[in-house]
Amino acid sequence: MPARLDWRQGQSGGERGWLSRFPCILSSPCLGVGIMNIMYVAVTERTAEIGLKKALGARNADILWEFLLEAVLVTLLGGAVRILWGTLLGFVVSAVAAASKLDWPFTVPLNGVLIALGVSSAIGLVFGIFPARRASRLDPIEAMRYE
């Protein structure tokens, strides 16, 4: 069997482990700014809807939680897709290595998957706060006039 899916605790490999995490650490703020811009666009497009909800009795906290949850779900879904693509790429590399008679086992450490999903959720939460606060502070009358 050339490649197997192994959910055991992975060995990070010391220096190589930090080197492989460095691009992810650098790209996280860029992803966060992208999420923030997407959420600002969502707030702008749904301004009249927010005004109507507030006019019908929705509290600021309700609107805030709605947009925070949306930001977290978007980043969580994006993180899951990236994990799936990374797993597929790892499997392909392992299969090619096995075909070349190299010993390169295919493993997906469960702690790495959980950390990646946690970081994705945290990015959505942190960078979704400002658009969510903006949405929750809209004046209902002014928001309903907006088109």
Side-chain angles (χ1 to χ4, degrees), residues 1-25:
M1 177 186 272
R4 68 187 188 290
L5 184 59
D6 188 4
W7 291 99
R8 64 186 161 92
Q9 298 291 330
Q11 302 294 326
S12 64
E15 195 174 300
R16 191 176 109 221
W18 281 108
L19 202 58
S20 67
R21 290 179 187 97
F22 188 67
C24 297
I25 294 169

Side-chain angles (χ1 to χ4, degrees), residues 5-69:
L5 184 59
D6 188 4
W7 291 99
R8 64 186 161 92
Q9 298 291 330
Q11 302 294 326
S12 64
E15 195 174 300
R16 191 176 109 221
W18 281 108
L19 202 58
S20 67
R21 290 179 187 97
F22 188 67
C24 297
I25 294 169
L26 287 180
S27 68
S28 292
C30 298
L31 293 171
V33 169
I35 290 296
M36 190 179 342
N37 287 333
I38 289 169
M39 293 309 298
Y40 272 128
V41 169
V43 168
T44 303
E45 287 180 353
R46 293 167 35 193
T47 300
E49 175 188 332
I50 294 166
L52 183 60
K53 285 181 180 182
K54 290 184 85 169
L56 292 174
R59 297 172 299 157
N60 288 349
D62 298 331
I63 304 295
L64 180 87
W65 281 109
E66 175 186 346
F67 280 93
L68 274 180
L69 182 64

